[in-house]
Amino acid sequence: MNLAEAFAAYENVRQRLPAPSGRGACVRLPNLDALADQVDTFLLDAFGVLNIGETAIPGVPDRVAGLQKAGKRVLIVSNAAGFPHANLMEKYKRLGYDFAPEDVITSRKALLHGLRSEPARHWGMMATESLGRADLEDLNVTYLADDLAAYEAAEAFLLIGSAAWTEQRQALLEATLIAHPRPVYVGNPDIVAPRETGFSTEPGAFAHRLADQTGVVPQFFGKPFGTIFDLAFVQLDHPNPKRIVMVGDSLHTDILGGQVAGVKTALISGYGFFAGSDVTTSIDAAGIYPDFIIDRP
Ligand SMILES: [Mg+2]
């Protein structure tokens, strides 16, 4: 997928996303330091802000360390659902970041939090089996592969990682849901993620496809939906939304999510989703206006 296709894919599912609240002024600033006098707490997206794929964006580890040294709270708010939390913590450390585990808020955490109020079920799971089952030990899950019986036996479905997903598996999932509709929980609402070589297809893309094909309405956990922000606010003492900013490279997840959560929003224009493109055209097309547009994190 290229940028235009990725943007169109998000626009095509706007009916399943929250509506924008308010219209930011799109004030242009050079980097995160320029926000420091207006903000006490930074909620940072990961892909496109801290890193592209497995590489830190140059200068950002030092920038984040500087903000932390200046007394700012810096939390990660990421739609990373496929990786065990310990793996993610190792990755951020390897990239040069220093975050406490409880300050890394993922859609995996939001999903698991949401499942606590659900009855015990036998879940069919879209996930990468080689990453292991850490954090999910208490769930009764079967990894979905190419055996139709596993799809038919599941009481409900979890979509958390699509690296090993295939068109064949998607066809099996859609067919079983048409024959016998069951709940679908999505731990990563992203449709795409920026990688070193372009955009990868993420679980949200398959969730929206199955919704279009089967009429099953998936339940999403992660940006732009609110529960992931609720988990972030739990980590803050007396959070003041006017002094919190959500920073991200995606209008449809980070900026929309920040607006729905009632915090300030800053769109990264030079890295990640909109790298190398004219972001104002996309902002106008989406009608999602951030408070700030910053060239780089
Ligand atoms: Mg991102």
Side-chain angles (χ1 to χ4, degrees):
M1 245 191 251
N2 62 31
L3 187 149
E5 291 164 340
F7 184 85
Y10 277 109
E11 284 294 289
N12 281 337
V13 301
R14 286 294 289 273
Q15 79 279 6
R16 292 193 200 97
L17 305 182
S21 66
R23 178 179 172 136
C26 298
V27 174
R28 292 267 185 180
L29 295 173
N31 59 51
L32 293 178
D33 284 344
L35 283 167
D37 57 346
Q38 311 181 47
V39 164
D40 303 317
T41 302
F42 292 79
L43 308 179
L44 302 183
D45 176 38
F47 270 69
V49 177
L50 299 178
N51 58 288
I52 302 291
E54 297 303 314
T55 312
I57 295 176
V60 181
D62 285 344
R63 178 95 59 210
V64 170
L67 292 170
Q68 289 169 325
K69 211 170 175 185
K72 303 297 179 185
R73 279 306 297 282
V74 186
L75 279 68
I76 298 178
V77 178
S78 167
N79 285 355
F83 288 88
H85 202 68
N87 295 31
L88 269 192
M89 296 310 302
E90 277 168 28
K91 171 177 170 174
Y92 296 133
K93 191 176 174 191
R94 189 169 68 239
L95 296 180
Y97 296 105
D98 182 14
F99 290 100
E102 60 272 21
D103 286 347
V104 177
I105 315 293
T106 64
S107 56
R108 186 181 184 91
K109 279 186 180 175
L111 173 70
L112 290 171
H113 190 265
L115 291 184
R116 279 194 220 149
S117 51
E118 294 290 318
R121 288 178 171 133
H122 174 206
W123 299 94
M125 186 162 73
M126 171 208 280
T128 306
E129 193 162 6
S130 59
L131 293 174
R133 213 175 272 210
D135 316 328
L136 310 173
E137 300 94 338
D138 295 340
L139 299 177
N140 175 13
V141 300
T142 298
Y143 287 90
L144 297 172
D146 300 317
D147 174 17
L148 176 63
Y151 294 74
E152 290 178 337
E155 295 174 292
F157 297 93
L158 293 178
L159 279 49
I160 67 171
S162 54
W165 200 241
T166 64
E167 286 299 318
Q168 154 90 354
R169 294 171 184 190
Q170 179 74 6
L172 288 172
L173 179 57
E174 290 178 5
T176 199
L177 285 171
I178 288 169
H180 178 198
R182 280 151 287 169
V184 175
Y185 291 75
V186 185
N188 180 353
D190 287 0
I191 292 176
V192 296
R195 310 272 174 179
E196 286 90 338
T197 52
F199 289 103
S200 61
T201 304
E202 297 297 312
F206 297 104
H208 289 292
R209 271 176 60 185
L210 77 81
D212 291 338
Q213 294 300 317
T214 70
V216 170
V217 179
Q219 193 158 336
F220 290 99
F221 294 86
K223 301 170 290 183
F225 301 91
T227 55
I228 190 171
F229 290 94
D230 296 339
L231 290 185
F233 294 155
V234 166
Q235 296 302 321
L236 305 173
D237 294 326
H238 308 293
N240 174 0
K242 292 191 174 66
R243 302 280 299 176
I244 301 172
V245 66
M246 176 69 218
V247 181
D249 64 315
S250 161
L251 284 172
H252 295 91
T253 60
D254 305 311
I255 304 305
L256 199 50
Q259 287 188 357
V260 171
V263 301
K264 291 183 171 173
T265 55
L267 181 71
I268 302 290
S269 60
Y271 290 86
F273 197 100
F274 293 110
S277 80
D278 172 23
V279 76
T280 55
T281 306
S282 298
I283 287 171
D284 286 331
I288 302 169
Y289 293 87
D291 295 303
F292 306 98
I293 300 172
I294 56 181
D295 294 339
R296 56 161 300 137

